[in-house]
Amino acid sequence: MSPTRSLGPFQVSPIGLGCMNLSHAYGVPPSPDDAASLLLRALELGVTHFDTAALYGFGANEALVGRVLAPHRHRFTLASKCGMTGVDGQRVIDGRPKTLKATCEAALKRLRTDVIDLYYLHRWDQSVPIEDSVGALGELVEAGKIRAVGLSEVSAATLRRAHAVFPITALQTEYSLWTRNPEIAVLDTCRELGTAFVAFSPVARGFLPGTLRDVSAFDAKDIRRAMPRFAPANYAENLRLLDGVAEVAREAGCTLAQLSLAWLLHRGEHILPIPGTTSVAHLEENLAATRVTLTPAQLQRLNTLVHHDTVRGARYNAATQTEIDTEEF
């Protein structure tokens, strides 16, 4: 397996770090000191791809990344996102060019940098033509504010429309054994266009490691409470899938989390997983997945065990589903 992977013009570690849950989404975040320790440990272990967004903690995550990592800015590729932010305490999707440019200016200050390497449209605001939003991001490249443009949670058709306006360096979407939607069209389209595919939630928001058993104990602000797959009845059925996965992990001599990440790395050189964690131990475990080798037979068994027909429950609830543009089974 290659020691680095291409993220457009950047060569980065095969496994990056999704920074979201250091500030957002899965209940009470770690203390600032603990979050800083995790970021610095990731850098020490060779992570060179850090992913944040204006949405995460409504700016708090970008501020954290900036405060901790700005002194080491030359050592890593920095990705952030616009188009979905917090406004007066509410999450708002807004893809108007003036909004994206204003969000970028604020992000640069929070991140304590002169340029963001990769800047994604976090969600396509479907009231604004994708060509207009991507055109504005292209202007940010020309102005030297960002180096490359990405998209998140869009279909192959939207990617093609956007790419015709300005080269799309990366597309980011959820991808793991239990979320196989990218296999419908986006993975192949990324390969065709030379667009990197960044896989968020690669260990299925805590499902695939096998340690999350009681979903009734989620914090009140945990976003998984609204996800059908984590509803108690569905989740109990989904847990049964892990018995067969655990057998493959034992054969491969790795943990379930490492197996899940290795499966993704084996799917294609243009795929870059960005697991998030609040635990240094889990961080170290995840990064060791680059040393796991899976046989074709093991990969096939995993594909047979966990896929869209064996998983119970939709990825998002109906309201959230209207906000994304990805293909669905």
Side-chain angles (χ1 to χ4, degrees):
M1 201 171 290
S2 302
T4 62
R5 293 196 170 192
S6 296
L7 183 61
F10 315 107
Q11 289 295 306
V12 299
S13 51
I15 297 175
L17 182 68
C19 299
M20 179 178 77
N21 56 355
L22 297 176
S23 308
H24 182 86
Y26 295 121
V28 179
S31 70
D33 286 347
D34 286 346
S37 295
L38 187 136
L39 289 170
L40 292 172
R41 180 59 175 154
L43 196 66
E44 181 182 24
L45 290 170
V47 173
T48 57
H49 176 198
F50 290 82
D51 182 280
T52 180
L55 177 72
Y56 303 158
F58 292 1
N61 197 248
E62 287 181 327
L64 167 70
V65 170
R67 176 174 61 83
V68 176
L69 295 183
H72 313 282
R73 182 67 183 86
H74 64 287
R75 295 173 57 186
F76 64 92
T77 296
L78 174 63
S80 194
K81 309 178 195 73
C82 60
M84 185 161 62
T85 56
V87 179
D88 297 328
Q90 300 296 317
R91 180 176 62 85
V92 173
I93 296 174
D94 185 349
R96 291 174 296 173
K98 67 177 183 179
T99 301
L100 304 184
K101 291 178 178 179
T103 304
C104 181
E105 292 294 341
L108 288 167
K109 292 183 174 65
R110 287 191 292 263
L111 291 164
R112 304 187 190 188
T113 188
D114 294 328
V115 61
I116 298 167
D117 297 314
L118 174 59
Y119 206 42
Y120 293 89
L121 184 67
H122 203 161
R123 289 291 185 276
W124 173 29
D125 176 355
Q126 297 180 44
S127 69
V128 178
I130 191 68
E131 292 83 356
D132 292 357
S133 296
V134 169
L137 296 178
E139 290 172 7
L140 288 173
V141 174
E142 292 161 2
K145 304 287 187 179
I146 67 177
R147 291 195 170 103
V149 174
L151 297 176
S152 178
E153 294 276 50
V154 300
S155 64
T158 302
L159 170 59
R160 289 185 188 280
R161 284 174 56 189
H163 195 73
V165 173
F166 197 89
I168 302 301
T169 290
L171 186 148
Q172 182 172 144
T173 292
E174 182 176 355
Y175 188 33
S176 69
L177 273 168
W178 89 337
T179 297
R180 309 294 282 274
N181 309 64
E183 295 171 6
I184 298 171
V186 159
L187 274 181
D188 287 343
T189 303
C190 284
R191 188 181 291 107
E192 175 192 334
L193 298 177
T195 298
F197 183 94
V198 175
F200 75 75
S201 297
V203 294
R205 303 182 190 274
F207 165 69
L208 286 169
T211 53
L212 175 62
R213 313 302 293 190
D214 182 12
V215 294
S216 67
F218 283 151
D219 182 87
K221 293 184 177 180
D222 194 308
I223 61 173
R224 291 172 293 187
R225 280 185 171 272
M227 295 178 175
R229 289 180 178 178
F230 289 94
N234 286 337
Y235 197 72
E237 290 296 318
N238 290 331
L239 283 175
R240 297 180 183 182
L241 301 174
L242 293 180
D243 292 341
V245 177
E247 290 181 11
V248 181
R250 284 192 291 271
E251 287 180 15
C254 65
T255 67
L256 284 166
Q258 290 166 346
L259 181 72
S260 305
L261 292 166
W263 175 84
L264 273 172
L265 292 172
H266 281 72
R267 298 295 285 175
E269 282 286 328
H270 68 309
I271 297 172
L272 298 96
I274 50 167
T277 184
T278 60
S279 160
V280 170
H282 289 167
L283 169 72
E284 294 170 349
E285 175 187 352
N286 289 343
L287 296 179
T290 58
R291 299 194 292 271
V292 175
T293 300
L294 302 176
T295 67
Q298 288 168 335
L299 292 168
Q300 184 56 47
R301 282 166 60 195
L302 291 172
N303 290 334
T304 301
L305 285 164
V306 187
H307 54 80
H308 63 277
D309 285 332
T310 63
V311 173
R312 285 276 299 271
R315 181 162 74 104
Y316 289 131
N317 61 32
T320 303
Q321 191 63 44
T322 64
E323 299 175 347
I324 64 172
D325 177 53
T326 52
E327 292 90 354
E328 301 298 321
F329 286 105

